[in-house]
Amino acid sequence: MMPSETLFLVDTATGPAPLYRQVRDAYRQALFTRIAEGSLRPFVLPYHIWGFLIVFVYLCIPHTKNPWVYAARWPVLAIIIAFEISTIRTTSSWNSGAAYVAGLVSAFGVVYSTVWLILYRPQWDARRVERRDKRLNGGHDPAENGVLRGYDAALREYNKEANLDQENAQLRKRLSNGHVANGAAKEVSELPSTAELQENNRPAGMLLPAEDDDFEYYWQQYPDNLADRIPWVLDLTVNFRGPGWNWQIPPVPEMPLSIKAKLHEPAENVSSSQLSSVGLRQFTTRHKLYNREVPRFIIGYLFIDIFKTIMMKDPYFIFGPNSYALPSHLTNLSSLQVRLYRSALSMFAIMTAIEMALLFSPLGLCLLLGPRYLGLRGEPWYYPTNWGSFSNITNKGLNGLWGSWWHQIFRFIFAAPTNFLISNGYVKPRSWYAKLLALFFAFGISGSLHGSGSITQFPRTKPFHPPTFFALQALGIVLQTTCCNILHGRLKRVPTALRQFGNVVFTFGWLFLTADWIIDDFARGGVWLLEPIPFSPLRGMGFGMPGDGWWCWGDLGIYWHSGKHWWESGIAI
């Protein structure tokens, strides 16, 4: 039984729409009735992540020398698929965000499990960069363990490229002389210590000279020791973009030169500007990461408050397409202008919400915990930015938007089927067939994820609409690429600025023409009813709807759910 429910006749309704709080309360009451009847279950943790836990446990069991254990991956995958399909069919939540995530997580669990159990062999092939204390390793020579010397040469080269050493060198000279440049005496204790200067300005992953004598870097394969194996598998399975792994996705910047030098690897792909080929920025210090990401998080928070306040005044963002009266600020606009307004507002809200969610990793894992608790996993270079340069769109059009500019969090799993076919000789690399397959799998998987999220929404939705949207993106890329190839000779004579303008027009024109397939379904499912922030300055100052105030999380609806079996019980969201 699907969770969808129809409580409001939005296609025939007239007059003012009910307030969003009334709608949310009605959905909540109806959902709890369905849960009490046993026809639905809430989104429960840890029950709804059992599929991921099964994959984690299976990968912690060595199977490189045991063909029976390795063969067991097929029944394990079958169990996971059956479980995830069941959760998609029977799960929802009055919290619209949790309801959407429930379906998306279940569908992602199927793809995720297929990737790590079938398409890749991580116990044979995956490696990650790790750092260890030589004193705990029996005092062996670093060279004997694949660890690399040459700190001074690497540091000099890095400083030469990044121009970071001049100011520090001057300050160190002042410290060593005990005075400032103009000759006025000054106590050394009043100036930053050399250690402080080195710590605050050292590139990411670069140890201080004293530390360098005690640590070594190496490529860590699947560990034999269970204590080492658990964090290795955990890092493998939660690391979507793969920084520090040998399967790192191409858009992510290469690891810092200092670490490459210690691994005796060529450094020609390392950019002194810390930018990747698509414009993702790598941070060399936690201070730089803080300076960029914390302000973005604060600004994003304020924009989320603005979007939420504005959206709840428009019935479209509560019900999706409907026949209720337009809000006063839209009554004088044409239907085309209203559509453009809603499309733009939806897309900006989606991008801001994604960015806010993705920022929790660098803020929490790098700034809050950091290298002291997480080792290399807490270094800032592990957390590059999420969005590429806008030049990807101006130079490549729709393909550049989805392949380089848009966040690439799921790129590894999207590309896994095509990479599997190429690596096993079924498809030739860079052939037109390989490119079509890459489009098919990437947008097909993405459509399935979003379609599953639509299914688990409590209000009635149209789950085939999100997959249609993503299929149309693949079609748009094929159309634009084909036309450019046919007109290549003529386009070469067109000024670059005009070609770039044409790419931008086509890209956003195509998005506008196709956006309704996904944003209408988001709105139908009540995605925008989610209360994303705890504290609202705008609504506290009276810009919201009746009943709004400063505090927004008065009732999150989180409770303990007792299932028929112990493994079905947990925290319901």
Side-chain angles (χ1 to χ4, degrees), residues 320-356:
N322 63 85
S323 58
Y324 287 111
L326 287 174
S328 58
H329 63 284
L330 299 180
T331 53
N332 293 326
L333 299 181
S334 68
S335 58
L336 180 62
Q337 290 173 323
V338 170
R339 183 185 174 194
L340 180 60
Y341 159 81
R342 288 170 171 172
S343 297
L345 185 57
S346 296
M347 296 309 295
F348 281 125
I350 290 169
M351 291 168 54
T352 306
I354 291 174
E355 175 69 354
M356 291 288 286

Side-chain angles (χ1 to χ4, degrees), residues 9 22 65 111 115 144 228 310 384 539:
L9 302 176
Q22 296 172 331
K65 298 180 181 179
V111 181
V115 168
E144 296 176 358
D228 295 329
I310 294 174
R539 283 172 276 175

Side-chain angles (χ1 to χ4, degrees), residues 11 14 49 55 57 90 105 144 155 316 372 484:
D11 294 330
T14 57
I49 60 171
V55 173
V57 171
T90 60
V105 165
E144 296 176 358
L155 180 59
Y316 170 81
R372 175 174 296 182
C484 289

